[in-house]
Amino acid sequence: MLQVMNSVLLIGDRSSRLSVLNRALNEFGYEVIERQEQNEDLLTLVSSLLPDILVIGLDKPAPSLLEKLALISKASPLPVVMFVEQTTENIVQQAIRSGVNAYIVADLQPQRLKTIIDVAVARFQEYQSLKDELVQTRSRLEDRKILDRAKGLLMTRQGISEDLAYKKLRKMAMDNGKTVAAVARNVIDVFNMLEEKTS
């Protein structure tokens, strides 16, 4: 389900273009929370104003802006729509890698603005969802490795079966109100400390 995104930070390099975008955004019911020429400290601006969407109107994006957008994508990700007058294939690729969700070249048609933003928001949310799934999958794989290692240590040190080693870890987790993975980490740490003391 799409989250409602209404507040827009609008920046650009030409006041006439900004005026057209600002008027169209207002007509479609968006709240423009800041409207200005390109700002040197864009990351701070995004972090402090917390807009839902970033709309940018430029003649041509500078590499320094794309670097800032890449930082924003890591620190405060949000949908980014960019309107440009001129571009190159290299800049398009850089823009997409920097977190731009819609990159429109020489086609500033105010009546299409809402559709473009809707598509950008949908792409952004889909990407964030995939990113979250990837993080969760990596975390589960890491937990699995730790669990297997802890079971192996218990099996070797205590001469027990894999099934019994897992049951011990699960019981410790239940007794301490922790996850099995957290208990497995503790078990590994304890065995590592014991090894250091005996070596």
Side-chain angles (χ1 to χ4, degrees), residues 142-179:
E142 188 59 33
D143 287 351
R144 185 80 210 165
K145 284 182 194 170
I146 287 163
L147 179 57
D148 287 344
R149 188 164 169 221
K151 282 192 300 186
L153 286 167
L154 286 171
M155 288 160 65
T156 305
R157 302 296 173 87
Q158 298 181 3
I160 59 176
S161 69
E162 182 179 356
D163 186 51
L164 188 54
Y166 178 71
K167 282 178 180 171
K168 278 194 166 202
L169 289 169
R170 196 173 62 187
K171 185 176 185 316
M172 282 189 273
M174 289 171 70
D175 290 347
N176 293 286
K178 293 183 176 179
T179 64

Side-chain angles (χ1 to χ4, degrees), residues 13 21 31 37 70-71 77 89 131 147 153:
D13 59 3
L21 285 167
E31 176 197 354
E37 304 296 314
L71 291 173
E89 188 178 326
K131 204 162 83 168
L147 179 57
L153 286 167

Side-chain angles (χ1 to χ4, degrees), residues 35 124 191:
R35 180 189 156 206
F124 168 79
F191 279 126

Side-chain angles (χ1 to χ4, degrees), residues 49-72:
L49 295 173
L50 297 174
D52 295 325
I53 304 158
L54 176 59
V55 175
I56 304 169
L58 304 167
D59 285 334
K60 186 177 179 182
S64 60
L65 174 65
L66 297 178
E67 286 168 16
K68 287 173 199 158
L69 290 176
L71 291 173
I72 289 168

